[in-house]
Amino acid sequence: MAYDGVTLYHLIEEFKPLLIGGRIRKIYQPELDEIRLLVNHGNQKHHLLLSANTGNPRAYLTEKMKENPSAPPSFCMVLRKYILNGTIVAITQHETDRVMELSISSKNDFNETVVRKLLVEIMGRNSNIILVDESMKILDSMKKVGSTSSRYRQILPGRDYVYPPENNRHGFTGIDEKHFYELLTNHRNLSVEKFFIQAFLGISPNIAKEIAFRSGVDPHSNGSDLTKKQTQFLYAGFAQVVNEIEQHAVPVILYLGRKMVDFSTVDLHYLRADHRSETYPSISKMLEAYYFKRDKALRFKTRAANLSQQLDLLVKKNIKKLANLQQDVEASHKSEKFKLYGDLITANIYAIQKGQEIATLINYYDPDCQTLDIPLKVNRTPAQNAQHYYKKYNKSKIALKHLVGYILETEEKVYYLESLVNSLNQSTELAELDEIRHEFLHSEFNKKALSKEDKKKQVPSKPLHYISSEGFHIFVGKNNYQNDFISTKMGKNEDCWLHVKDAPGSHVLIVAGGRFITEKTLLEAGNLAAWYSKSKGSSNVAVDYLEFRYLKKPSKAKPGMVIFTHQNTMYVTPTQEAIETMDVFVDSV
């Protein structure tokens, strides 16, 4: 994550015309590590979010509101006492470090005008929000730091505020060529990337790599190994990047494929080849979008973890049951010898005496007429021994009939559970996750009573909507409810329906729209069917395709379960590159 000194530098420049001169009308603390200031500036209202969250420390203007606690925390009450109705008179950055200072003019207890500072330290697990008076004495802080946690810097009411240690680092602005070479010489034992990080305040690995890239220097090369020419190129790249930072910001969110990976306020040339960027009109909007998506992904991961664990346990349990049933089938197939024993004892009944432990008899069914040693019960007559083996044979035959039914039933359970697992792996939206959870709770596998909330009918989410290279609309179900929607309500007779063969996966529909579906579009849809299935990591995946008219959903069948005829089969090797070249409209149906 690139919330570095460069991002804060740009954010403060964005804040200045919007907040300086604005009056703080309301202060909230919706989370223990987050405060929000409502700032009135002329006819405009701005909601300033300041967070000291360990994993996501941040600051930006937000439009998304949170519910506030009924009783405000103590830090919120202190802020209301000292800066409510105060005017923001300055917003500065300490050096180029990740420390923002909001200077706020307000009245003290003697009705005198004083300027207090709200310091926002965006520093990972050491992030904090601190209120100081005009003499830089701490009035209060969001997180208290005592001597047991830090000898250098205690953050407690009444203590003098001390800036975070700079460790001999310098601000990245105002560095001339001579000073740059001195710093490089002092850090000559470090790699180029680490030099920029450890010599300058607020420079992140992303910016360090960008400077090296523009200089044509390997970021992992050692500073002592650089030639004079490379050193000159390195300074030129540094000066170019710093100049761009001072001139303007480029707020973008970076994606690798469809996965959001980072954000930046600098145009990162070194990532252009592999990454896609989405530009935003302001840094605050970029940060809000990034953290909203990131928070959404974290909440999705947390909510999916429990369901995933339950499904994995059920899949393993039923696979083990299936293996045991198949072992029983193998044992039942061996029951033919019991009938043979009974037949041979009956054929030789007068040659066998009661009390024998073993009868050695000729096997008339063996072409070589080999002899068999047949164990006998000594307390039974030959006829009773024969009946004993006939009963074991009949019992095994009856068991075999039941076992076949149990195996089919268990195989269906495993297939269905694996379809839920596949749906869970494909889902990306909370609405889709809720559908999978709703389906599971209403299945035979859930033994818990349903709450009123669980009994409510789900609002259906929408399947993925792709456009083939030839303009055909292709829909892909990401869970069983979406699959049902595609396979029962969307298609027309001339449309083409696809599904990976003999494995859980998405239902895929090509909408003909009165046109002949070409082989090229069919292969693209087949690639989608294979990719959104359990077989996505395999090569030469078999995909069935057929006209929609030959598709049917049996009465009372589980969600996503259909039967079909007149299918043909293609073989495809799904690739992410092929998927990403297709246009997708996630919210369309």
Side-chain angles (χ1 to χ4, degrees):
M1 186 182 68
Y3 207 122
D4 52 17
V6 175
T7 300
L8 189 59
Y9 179 93
H10 285 140
L11 190 68
I12 288 173
E13 292 303 309
E14 181 175 288
F15 281 171
K16 285 178 180 178
L18 299 175
L19 299 180
I20 291 179
R23 189 177 290 272
I24 300 172
R25 289 302 189 185
K26 291 182 180 179
I27 302 173
Y28 302 109
Q29 191 173 351
E31 309 280 355
L32 289 176
D33 53 11
E34 180 182 308
I35 63 170
R36 293 178 181 232
L37 308 178
L38 173 60
V39 182
N40 285 5
H41 188 275
N43 296 326
Q44 295 182 324
K45 294 181 179 180
H46 302 288
H47 294 271
L48 176 59
L49 180 149
L50 304 172
S51 174
N53 181 275
T54 301
N56 292 320
R58 58 202 188 275
Y60 54 81
L61 298 178
T62 181
E63 296 176 358
K64 300 182 186 299
M65 298 298 105
K66 285 186 178 180
E67 187 175 345
N68 297 300
S70 54
S74 60
F75 184 58
C76 180
M77 295 300 291
V78 171
L79 293 180
R80 288 177 180 179
K81 175 183 177 182
Y82 287 109
I83 63 173
L84 187 63
N85 293 319
T87 301
I88 299 175
V89 293
I91 306 175
T92 56
Q93 180 180 15
H94 175 62
E95 297 290 341
T96 57
D97 206 358
R98 292 168 294 167
V99 180
M100 178 171 67
E101 303 179 15
L102 295 171
S103 299
I104 302 161
S105 174
S106 58
K107 300 289 186 179
N108 62 13
D109 293 337
F110 302 103
N111 204 32
E112 297 171 335
T113 300
V114 294
V115 176
R116 302 181 176 98
K117 288 186 177 182
L118 190 63
L119 301 149
V120 185
E121 300 176 351
I122 303 173
M123 296 189 167
R125 61 187 181 89
N126 296 318
S127 298
N128 210 340
I129 301 173
I130 304 161
L131 180 67
V132 299
D133 64 15
E134 57 273 24
S135 62
M136 297 298 285
K137 197 173 290 294
I138 297 172
L139 296 171
D140 202 0
S141 62
M142 182 168 278
K143 300 175 184 177
K144 309 294 189 293
V145 179
S147 57
T148 56
S149 301
S150 174
R151 292 181 181 179
Y152 168 76
R153 187 169 178 258
Q154 286 86 53
I155 302 175
L156 297 168
R159 294 267 187 175
D160 290 331
Y161 176 79
V162 178
Y163 286 101
E166 297 177 357
N167 298 321
N168 294 319
R169 290 178 296 163
H170 299 261
F172 53 75
T173 58
I175 301 292
D176 59 24
E177 192 168 359
K178 181 182 178 182
H179 192 185
F180 180 84
Y181 293 152
E182 288 174 359
L183 291 172
L184 185 60
T185 302
N186 294 337
H187 295 82
R188 60 182 174 275
N189 294 325
L190 297 177
S191 68
V192 169
E193 180 182 349
K194 288 184 178 179
F195 157 66
F196 284 111
I197 295 170
Q198 295 189 21
F200 298 100
L201 289 164
I203 285 189
S204 64
N206 269 347
I207 302 298
K209 289 173 184 174
E210 178 64 17
I211 295 170
F213 179 82
R214 296 196 191 187
S215 307
V217 176
D218 182 357
H220 304 295
S221 59
N222 197 288
S224 60
D225 297 332
L226 298 178
T227 65
K228 184 177 180 180
K229 203 71 174 175
Q230 286 178 315
T231 303
Q232 292 171 345
F233 286 155
L234 199 61
Y235 174 73
F238 170 77
Q240 182 186 58
V241 170
V242 171
N243 182 59
E244 285 186 17
I245 291 171
E246 293 176 332
Q247 293 299 319
H248 62 277
V250 183
V252 295
I253 292 180
L254 299 165
Y255 294 83
L256 187 58
R258 291 198 177 96
K259 183 181 179 183
M260 183 181 72
V261 292
D262 214 335
F263 64 82
S264 177
T265 58
V266 175
D267 187 5
L268 300 177
H269 295 190
Y270 85 98
L271 293 179
R272 283 181 178 178
D274 301 323
H275 291 67
R276 174 177 63 87
S277 61
E278 184 178 356
T279 307
Y280 286 81
S282 70
I283 299 168
S284 286
K285 289 187 182 298
M286 175 200 71
L287 291 172
E288 183 162 59
Y290 177 85
Y291 285 107
F292 176 77
K293 292 176 182 178
R294 194 168 187 266
D295 180 59
K296 180 181 171 183
L298 289 173
R299 284 188 290 121
F300 180 91
K301 185 176 180 180
T302 302
R303 289 172 61 176
N306 183 47
L307 181 56
S308 177
Q309 186 179 26
Q310 291 183 70
L311 290 174
D312 286 343
L313 287 173
L314 284 167
V315 168
K316 289 176 182 177
K317 177 182 175 182
N318 281 275
I319 287 176
K320 185 177 180 181
K321 180 182 177 181
L322 188 60
N324 291 336
L325 288 171
Q326 287 167 341
Q327 287 179 358
D328 292 341
V329 168
E330 290 176 9
S332 296
H333 282 310
K334 296 176 182 178
S335 65
E336 290 294 330
K337 71 178 182 180
F338 299 139
K339 184 177 182 298
L340 175 63
Y341 289 174
D343 290 344
L344 293 178
I345 291 171
T346 302
N348 295 276
I349 198 164
Y350 297 109
I352 303 171
Q353 302 297 321
K354 183 179 180 180
Q356 283 185 236
E357 291 184 358
I358 295 175
T360 303
L361 305 173
I362 296 172
N363 182 4
Y364 303 112
Y365 299 95
D366 183 0
D368 299 327
C369 292
Q370 299 274 336
T371 58
L372 280 176
D373 292 334
I374 302 174
L376 301 174
K377 300 285 185 181
V378 296
N379 60 341
R380 294 180 182 176
T381 65
Q384 288 173 330
N385 271 300
Q387 287 301 312
H388 166 71
Y389 281 117
Y390 283 136
K391 284 181 180 178
K392 287 187 74 173
Y393 169 72
N394 289 328
K395 185 177 180 181
S396 294
K397 293 295 285 183
I398 293 169
L400 185 60
K401 289 181 181 178
H402 289 296
L403 284 171
V404 171
Y406 292 150
I407 285 174
L408 288 173
E409 182 183 336
T410 307
E411 284 177 339
E412 287 180 1
K413 287 181 178 179
V414 170
Y415 184 93
Y416 178 68
L417 287 167
E418 287 183 339
S419 77
L420 291 178
V421 172
N422 185 66
S423 297
L424 196 60
N425 292 336
Q426 305 292 1
S427 60
T428 55
E429 302 295 326
L430 289 171
E432 294 167 351
L433 181 61
D434 289 339
E435 283 183 326
I436 299 166
R437 181 177 176 275
H438 183 272
E439 182 183 349
F440 173 74
L441 290 176
H442 286 76
S443 72
E444 62 188 288
F445 301 100
N446 178 43
K447 307 302 180 185
K448 298 179 181 179
L450 296 176
S451 65
K452 288 184 179 180
E453 189 67 26
D454 294 331
K455 290 179 181 179
K456 289 181 180 178
K457 189 175 181 179
Q458 284 293 115
V459 178
S461 60
K462 297 176 180 179
L464 283 171
H465 179 185
Y466 285 90
I467 304 294
S468 79
S469 59
E470 297 178 318
F472 285 90
H473 294 263
I474 304 175
F475 294 93
V476 181
K478 294 172 71 179
N479 59 47
N480 286 331
Y481 285 164
Q482 290 185 10
N483 287 338
D484 265 0
F485 181 71
I486 284 174
S487 301
T488 60
K489 296 183 179 179
M490 285 190 66
K492 295 181 180 179
N493 285 345
E494 68 272 15
D495 295 341
C496 183
W497 184 89
L498 304 92
H499 191 280
V500 68
K501 190 179 185 69
D502 299 330
S506 296
H507 295 198
V508 177
L509 184 74
I510 307 174
V511 178
R515 299 164 61 192
F516 175 76
I517 297 173
T518 63
E519 182 179 348
K520 186 177 182 181
T521 290
L522 194 63
L523 286 171
E524 289 176 3
N527 195 50
L528 288 169
W531 181 259
Y532 289 102
S533 76
K534 187 184 176 185
S535 305
K536 68 180 291 184
S538 306
S539 58
N540 289 325
V541 178
V543 177
D544 288 331
Y545 62 97
L546 53 136
E547 291 184 22
F548 188 81
R549 72 185 77 203
Y550 299 119
L551 184 69
K552 182 181 178 182
K553 183 172 179 66
S555 177
K556 297 182 181 179
K558 291 184 177 71
M561 299 300 165
V562 293
I563 56 175
F564 51 85
T565 57
H566 295 77
Q567 71 271 23
N568 292 303
T569 304
M570 71 173 83
Y571 293 88
V572 298
T573 300
T575 62
Q576 187 172 356
E577 292 78 11
I579 301 295
E580 290 177 352
T581 57
M582 298 180 67
D583 292 329
V584 61
F585 300 90
V586 178
D587 295 325
S588 301
V589 176

